[in-house]
Amino acid sequence: MTRLAIVRHGQTDWNLQTRIQGSTDIPLNSTGRAQAAETGLRLSTARWDAIVTSPLVRAHETARIIAGELDHAAPVVVAELTERHHGEIEGLTFAERQLRFPDGSRVPGLESRQAVLDRVLPALERVALAYAGQEVIVVCHGGVIGTLVRYATNGERPAAGELIPNGSVHDFRWQDGRLVLERFVSVR
């Protein structure tokens, strides 16, 4: 079994403005940096063997800040942990998205949740096998975490209106070839 503490990156200005980031590379803001440091302090009560991260700057900077708080080696970049590609809705606020692409409308370039799962799950398996029996921090994105939670709970969570907070830590384990959710943190 490999323990995976999956962390959502700290806040960005686009998070604050409710803009859809997707694979657009937006940096942390000062609140996001503080959230990353706070998350690092919360994680400092345990021993961690590795930190891996999405290559997007908001996740990578969060991982570097956490590594600094833990006096840990630099995080390892895992390209497949990048956020879900949102195509033509990237950069739009949620309200703008609803105006341009009402619920049920096809969004050009939007990566399906299944495609995210098909990309991320094998990457997590490789991480789990590389650090078998160890404790790993995985820094990535809300869309990735939501997809993993849906997978692990057979679609029961996150429920409608449940949001994944910036800087939150979600406990999973990789055991017997599958991803198991132990703890999910959300807000309404």
Side-chain angles (χ1 to χ4, degrees):
M1 180 196 71
T2 303
R3 181 175 172 212
L4 302 170
I6 302 183
V7 176
R8 183 174 182 209
H9 63 79
Q11 184 187 78
T12 69
D13 286 343
W14 278 23
N15 290 139
L16 197 57
Q17 299 162 6
T18 68
R19 292 196 179 282
I20 300 165
Q21 294 175 115
S23 56
T24 304
D25 212 2
I26 305 299
L28 295 178
N29 60 22
S30 58
T31 299
R33 288 183 196 92
Q35 289 169 331
E38 180 182 310
T39 300
L41 288 173
R42 282 197 325 265
L43 290 168
S44 70
T45 60
R47 183 186 64 79
W48 299 98
D49 299 296
I51 302 172
V52 301
T53 183
S54 156
L56 294 179
V57 68
R58 59 192 181 267
H60 194 264
E61 185 177 5
T62 299
R64 284 194 327 267
I65 292 169
I66 290 170
E69 293 293 335
L70 300 176
D71 196 27
H72 206 284
V76 175
V77 173
V78 177
E80 295 87 354
L81 296 176
T82 195
E83 178 60 297
R84 180 181 185 193
H85 304 290
H86 282 270
E88 290 190 18
I89 60 174
E90 288 191 18
L92 301 180
T93 64
F94 293 113
E96 291 167 341
R97 180 220 193 271
Q98 278 303 109
L99 287 173
R100 268 174 107 185
F101 299 99
D103 286 338
S105 298
R106 187 183 152 289
V107 176
L110 177 63
E111 185 178 19
S112 72
R113 285 199 172 101
Q114 185 60 52
V116 173
L117 192 61
D118 291 346
R119 169 171 53 82
V120 173
L121 213 51
L124 287 179
E125 181 176 28
R126 285 192 305 278
V127 167
L129 293 174
Y131 299 100
Q134 298 182 52
E135 317 277 327
V136 181
I137 297 169
V138 178
V139 182
C140 59
H141 308 274
V144 170
I145 294 167
T147 297
L148 294 172
V149 169
R150 279 180 194 86
Y151 168 78
T153 64
N154 293 315
E156 291 180 21
R157 299 207 56 203
E162 271 188 315
L163 303 176
I164 299 168
N166 292 104
S168 58
V169 180
H170 312 273
D171 297 322
F172 289 83
R173 70 180 187 274
W174 190 272
Q175 186 171 6
D176 301 325
R178 66 187 188 95
L179 186 68
V180 178
L181 176 65
E182 293 182 338
R183 186 177 66 93
F184 171 58
V185 178
S186 67
V187 295
R188 287 201 179 263

